[in-house]
Amino acid sequence: MGKVLLVTGGSRGIGAACCRLGAREGYDVAVNYKGGKDKAEAVRAEVESSGRRALAVRADVTDEAAVERMLDEVEAGLGPVDAFVSNAGIIHASRPLMDMNPAEIRKVIEVDLTAHILCNRAVVRRMARSKGGRGGAIVNLSSMAASLYGAGGFVPYGAAKGGIDVLTMGLGREAAGDGIRVNGLRPGLIDTDMQNDTGVERRMERFGPGVPIGRGGTAEEVAECVLWLLSDKASYVTGTLFDVSGGR
Ligand code: NDP
């Protein structure tokens, strides 16, 4: 049996690319989704066609009880999680902070920060050697919006991602003695459905050429870095952040 990889928001975009590449690298894969059942089932089928075991598991990552049920389901179906990608996320429409409504701000903090902290907590409790676990590796999806401060329409999203950076660096140190590595990735402009949720038309086309490398990135390019960080090749890397942003 292979190691077990769980990816939140595995139904599309960067999460789905992590599931596909994880399978090719020998993991059995649990594909979490919230609303995209058909897409998650399609990713599950692709993982199985690479010869690995797979599970599509529904859970809203903001719901602690649902997250515990998801982890129980993955353990029962595939075994304990060895590698966890905290990826599920949303973005708000691009707008100055003064024009945003409080409910919109609370929602983005709940999904893009609180849920990541709670998911990391739940996973670490099961991985920790001091609690009978077998250790593991975690990658958190932050964003270049954290280092660029989200200025220009994405301040709450940038603030949430800045929180993920602190979560990663703090937990990486705290959990190292328990055999758990925790690292973060800060993707730049990546071509996924999320671009449409910003309300900025043709965002990839307009901003891609301004990236030093001359274009936006792909979900697959981000997944390569995620899988490296999860692997034993990164055995001495923890509590740190990598930019996957074409030099932005
Ligand atoms: P997508 O919009 O393409 O996909 C988002 C995924 O998150 C979907 O699978 C969706 O599931 C899932 N999701 C959203 N809310 C929840 C929830 N409450 N519970 C469970 N799953 C949920 O996003 P990307 O692939 O582009 O982004 C992935 C991560 O990378 C995010 O954290 C994002 O902030 C980050 N990122 C993306 C960048 C980009 O340019 N695209 C740049 C920097 C960071 P479903 O459809 O099933 O509901």
Side-chain angles (χ1 to χ4, degrees), residues 32-34 58-64 66-67 107 110-111 115:
N32 159 258
Y33 66 96
K34 182 184 160 206
R58 188 188 179 281
D60 180 337
V61 290
T62 66
D63 177 344
E64 290 158 67
V67 168
K107 179 76 189 166
E110 190 187 12
V111 178

Side-chain angles (χ1 to χ4, degrees), residues 18 27 36 38 55 61 101 168 195 201 203 207 214 227 231 237 240 243 246:
C18 291
Y27 288 94
D38 291 349
L55 208 63
V61 290
N101 73 58
T168 299
Q195 299 301 339
E201 277 181 38
R203 194 160 182 260
F207 298 112
L227 267 294
S231 78
V237 182
T240 196
D243 295 348

Side-chain angles (χ1 to χ4, degrees), residues 8-16 32-37 39-40 59-63 86-91 107 111-112 115-116 141-145 157 161 164 185-195 197 203-204 219 222:
T8 65
S11 53
R12 57 195 163 95
I14 293 168
N32 159 258
Y33 66 96
K34 182 184 160 206
K37 184 171 196 295
K39 286 185 176 169
D60 180 337
V61 290
T62 66
D63 177 344
S86 195
N87 163 81
I90 57 169
I91 199 161
K107 179 76 189 166
V111 178
D112 287 339
H116 287 266
L141 266 294
S142 173
S143 168
M144 284 305 284
Y157 176 77
K161 294 297 190 180
I164 291 182
L185 279 190
R186 294 196 288 209
L189 186 71
I190 309 298
D191 193 6
T192 69
D193 293 347
M194 185 171 270
Q195 299 301 339
D197 300 334
R203 194 160 182 260
M204 296 300 301
V222 179

Side-chain angles (χ1 to χ4, degrees), residues 97-148:
L97 180 62
M98 63 185 169
D99 295 332
M100 291 190 69
N101 73 58
E104 197 176 13
I105 294 166
R106 284 184 190 282
K107 179 76 189 166
V108 100
I109 299 296
E110 190 187 12
V111 178
D112 287 339
L113 178 56
T114 311
H116 287 266
I117 298 174
L118 292 173
C119 285
N120 272 246
R121 171 187 178 273
V123 167
V124 157
R125 284 170 70 85
R126 294 180 189 229
M127 282 181 175
R129 287 187 184 143
S130 61
K131 290 190 183 291
R134 55 189 195 193
I138 296 176
V139 173
N140 291 318
L141 266 294
S142 173
S143 168
M144 284 305 284
S147 47
L148 301 169

